[in-house]
Amino acid sequence: MTLSEAADDRRELVDRYFARVPGAEERNRIWLYAGGGAAVVVLGVLITVAGPWLLGIVVIALGGAGLVRGLPLYEAYRDACEAALPKPRDVIIDKIRDHELAKVRRRAMERLDLTVEDLELAPADWDPLAEPGAGSVPREPLVVTGPVPTSRATVGGDGVWRFSRYAVLALCPTDYHLALYRCVIDLRVAGLFQEETHEYHYADVVAVLTAIRDGGTLPVNGAGGRFEKVLLHEFQLVVASGDRSRIVFGISDERHPDRQVKLPPSSIDDVVRAVRTMLRDKKAPEISG
């Protein structure tokens, strides 16, 4: 398979996964116009044969109008089903996402001109007692990822919401500064978009927090129906200049707090804990002997 063919297959998989499957409302409209129109045509023919042919012709014309209206509805329904079915498995979409996140980690190191030896922080969930060769600490950027809420979204068979585009923030703590790499990944297209890099002295980082902001008019639907007021839960890293690096890691309904969008795991708690620990260690005053 050529690279072009692989890219085409990937686009088709992602497009099919996020394409909407027509619902009962569309099917009912087809039956109303096409099925009902056909029934009215048959009735008109019977009326014409039975006697009042003029009335029969009028009835046939009405039924024909229904058929004419129903045919394009059926064609649109058929095309939508062909575009959306069969759905790729959730695990396939997750593998595409994981593949892109691995690229982000490598790209972050390249753009920030760092090596693994420069990093001072192991993954927050690494357990040296559970890993073979405990003396070798695996070092890689800490990654926070969250959906771009305005991108296409669908709910998988496991109840998890998946989005076609994700914002990614890679944090690279070194001995002397905190380097950040930010980008957007698009599951449909291989590539990293909207790339940014930032580098801060630890003294300039004033807050690492989770916050909530208004999600505006985002069209979010949950198990209980459409969210009345959407709230976006964000990870934020704030520096002295007022700049904020932020990533959405949760979506909920303000008026119904128990209704939340189930997203792929983001390890947000581990990342926040790890970065706060690093900042405390780096910003703590030295104790003279």
Side-chain angles (χ1 to χ4, degrees):
M1 178 182 293
T2 67
L3 291 177
S4 177
E5 290 171 337
D8 289 342
D9 287 344
R10 171 172 169 162
R11 283 193 292 267
E12 182 180 350
L13 281 172
V14 174
D15 284 343
R16 190 179 296 276
Y17 185 82
F18 288 101
R20 191 182 70 87
V21 178
E25 183 178 347
E26 286 92 338
R27 293 195 298 270
N28 292 339
R29 290 184 66 195
I30 293 171
W31 278 110
L32 174 64
Y33 288 106
V40 171
V41 168
V42 172
L43 177 62
V45 171
L46 294 176
I47 292 175
T48 301
V49 172
W53 62 270
L54 185 59
L55 175 60
I57 291 175
V58 172
V59 173
I60 290 172
L62 290 174
L67 283 172
V68 170
R69 179 72 181 275
L71 183 59
L73 292 177
Y74 168 74
E75 291 176 345
Y77 177 85
R78 181 195 60 198
D79 292 344
C81 287
E82 289 179 354
L85 299 172
K87 289 287 187 189
R89 292 180 299 150
D90 298 331
V91 66
I92 293 177
I93 302 302
D94 290 341
K95 285 183 178 179
I96 293 175
R97 178 175 176 269
D98 291 343
H99 177 73
E100 292 304 303
L101 291 178
K103 287 166 54 178
V104 170
R105 290 183 174 91
R106 294 193 297 270
R107 179 64 170 168
M109 301 294 284
E110 293 173 2
R111 286 293 307 272
L112 294 167
D113 194 23
L114 297 173
T115 67
V116 291
E117 288 76 18
D118 294 320
L119 299 181
E120 283 233 332
L121 192 63
D125 59 352
W126 181 69
D127 182 358
L129 298 179
E131 296 287 342
S136 177
V137 180
R139 297 185 180 187
E140 61 179 8
L142 293 171
V143 170
V144 183
T145 180
V148 175
T150 53
S151 66
R152 290 184 296 171
T154 193
V155 183
D158 54 3
V160 174
W161 279 66
R162 292 172 175 83
F163 291 74
S164 61
R165 301 175 73 227
Y166 289 88
V168 187
L169 180 65
L171 300 95
C172 301
T174 73
D175 179 55
Y176 56 91
H177 80 324
L178 179 61
L180 307 179
Y181 169 82
R182 180 188 172 96
C183 69
V184 172
I185 60 173
D186 189 327
L187 302 189
R188 187 175 184 271
V189 183
L192 308 179
F193 306 92
Q194 302 177 30
E195 292 181 287
E196 300 177 9
T197 59
H198 304 273
E199 299 181 65
Y200 304 111
H201 294 294
Y202 287 110
D204 294 330
V205 180
V206 297
V208 176
L209 54 91
T210 58
I212 297 175
R213 68 179 175 90
D214 186 357
T217 58
L218 287 175
V220 177
N221 292 289
R226 188 181 179 90
F227 282 19
E228 294 184 36
K229 185 174 182 181
V230 178
L231 296 178
L232 301 180
H233 301 247
E234 292 184 333
F235 166 82
Q236 296 184 6
L237 189 144
V238 189
V239 296
S241 65
D243 291 342
R244 292 172 183 256
S245 297
R246 58 179 73 194
I247 292 286
V248 173
F249 69 87
I251 304 174
S252 65
D253 186 349
E254 181 184 48
R255 296 191 174 94
H256 303 277
D258 57 323
R259 295 171 60 190
Q260 298 188 9
V261 169
K262 185 179 179 181
L263 298 174
S266 65
S267 302
I268 183 65
D269 293 335
D270 290 337
V271 171
V272 170
R273 187 182 309 113
V275 175
R276 284 176 175 166
T277 299
M278 170 63 72
L279 290 175
R280 281 197 297 267
D281 292 344
K282 293 297 182 181
K283 298 174 74 169
E286 295 186 1
I287 301 177
S288 57

